[in-house]
Amino acid sequence: ENDLNAFTFIIPSAGYMLPEELPAVHREYADGQIIDALNSVYGLRNCAKSIFADNVFNNAGNVSELYYRTDHHWTALGAYYAYREFCGAKGITPHSLSEYEVSQFDGFLGSFYNDAGKPDVMKNDPDTVTAYHPISTEARMQYVNKKTGNENDELTPGKVIYDESDAAASLKYGTFITGDNPYTVISNPDLSDGSSCVVVKESFGNAFVPFLVDHYQTVYVIDYRYYSGSVSDFAKTNGVTDVIFINNLSAIRGSYQMGKLAGVK
């Protein structure tokens, strides 16, 4: 069997980190209680391979830049700070932001905008989605372009950072690995060391994956909400050594999402 290294990300919601920025329609988030409960039961904060983004963000400076104002996701900058923490846990050197090519897509109006009834105050001040391209210009991505599926389905060529300049205001977060797909594989021919990882994620993982491309010859991405296979079997078959779980607390506070995650074990 493979000697697997498992890394776990716990990402609090924007409402927990920035409660004063929430529209009045949103109830108070209980992420602090959930984090305390996880730590109490599993002692995750004492585990070197468990990464709590609330600690990371509190030490990162301006937290308001790490989440969107009109959407529940973290920004690529938020994902970058988590990536740096991951590098520390894995014992590798992170790249600096100045090394990346940057794309920006204006006019993003996300889930908070829709949930709040599309208020003019948000419409008149939308977010900008900033994306950092992998340093390797030779990296190639393929993905399963179906609602559900696995690695045995036909693969469609895609882009790690997709040009969303002309996308609808609500879809610009789709720049990261072409959005939510059941299975994605990214190959970096600049590396020949056989290194590989599998990222098991929901949509927060999309903005994180591009930072991994320059550290692994192959990055596999599984969205457990739509994947129809077994992650453990996949890791064994493909000789994966690192398994990276990424979940925001909104995803793991309900039985539906956790049932989906349990279903791909």
Side-chain angles (χ1 to χ4, degrees), residues 144-150 153 182-183 225-228 260:
V144 173
N145 188 16
K146 295 170 58 178
K147 290 184 177 179
T148 61
N150 57 46
D153 292 312
Y183 174 76
R225 299 169 298 176
Y226 313 115
Y227 184 70
S228 59
K260 287 289 188 180

Side-chain angles (χ1 to χ4, degrees), residues 142-146 148-156 182-185 220-222 226-230 233-234 237-238:
Q142 295 178 295
Y143 67 102
V144 173
N145 188 16
K146 295 170 58 178
T148 61
N150 57 46
E151 65 277 7
N152 297 316
D153 292 312
E154 180 181 357
L155 294 174
T156 299
Y183 174 76
T184 302
V185 57
Y220 303 103
V221 186
I222 288 173
Y226 313 115
Y227 184 70
S228 59
S230 163
D233 288 347
F234 178 90
T237 299
N238 290 278

Side-chain angles (χ1 to χ4, degrees), residues 11-24:
I11 309 166
S13 65
Y16 174 65
M17 298 301 298
L18 297 164
E20 71 281 358
E21 301 291 336
L22 281 180

Side-chain angles (χ1 to χ4, degrees), residues 11-207:
I11 309 166
S13 65
Y16 174 65
M17 298 301 298
L18 297 164
E20 71 281 358
E21 301 291 336
L22 281 180
V25 69
H26 284 275
R27 62 181 174 79
E28 182 179 350
Y29 285 80
D31 290 10
Q33 298 173 28
I34 299 172
I35 291 172
D36 289 344
L38 286 171
N39 189 47
S40 174
V41 174
Y42 301 108
L44 293 179
R45 284 203 190 273
N46 297 320
C47 177
K49 295 179 181 178
S50 293
I51 299 168
F52 283 76
D54 60 330
N55 277 350
V56 177
F57 288 176
N58 282 328
N59 295 321
N62 188 358
V63 178
S64 64
E65 296 179 355
L66 310 182
Y67 290 94
Y68 297 107
R69 291 175 294 100
T70 72
D71 188 69
H72 67 286
H73 289 106
W74 59 3
T75 65
L77 183 60
Y80 172 76
Y81 279 109
Y83 149 76
R84 291 204 317 185
E85 197 76 7
F86 164 77
C87 288
K90 183 172 169 58
I92 58 177
T93 302
H95 292 284
S96 64
L97 281 177
S98 62
E99 296 179 69
Y100 298 104
E101 176 189 347
V102 180
S103 290
Q104 292 188 312
F105 308 106
D106 298 328
F108 179 43
L109 295 168
S111 58
F112 286 165
Y113 172 70
N114 288 307
D115 292 347
K118 301 182 177 181
D120 287 341
V121 67
M122 287 188 178
K123 182 179 181 180
N124 296 331
D125 189 19
D127 282 305
T128 295
V129 176
T130 298
Y132 300 95
H133 295 253
I135 296 168
S136 172
T137 58
E138 300 300 318
R140 295 293 179 264
M141 187 184 102
Q142 295 178 295
Y143 67 102
V144 173
N145 188 16
K146 295 170 58 178
K147 290 184 177 179
T148 61
N150 57 46
E151 65 277 7
N152 297 316
D153 292 312
E154 180 181 357
L155 294 174
T156 299
K159 293 184 177 181
V160 179
I161 301 299
Y162 186 80
D163 188 346
E164 294 285 12
S165 301
D166 298 325
S170 62
L171 300 179
K172 294 183 183 291
Y173 187 78
T175 184
F176 305 110
I177 62 171
T178 321
D180 295 327
N181 294 290
Y183 174 76
T184 302
V185 57
I186 305 168
S187 301
N188 183 352
D190 292 341
L191 298 176
S192 57
D193 57 2
S195 57
S196 63
C197 70
V198 57
V199 180
V200 184
K201 60 86 181 178
E202 33 76 21
S203 58
F204 271 67
N206 299 4

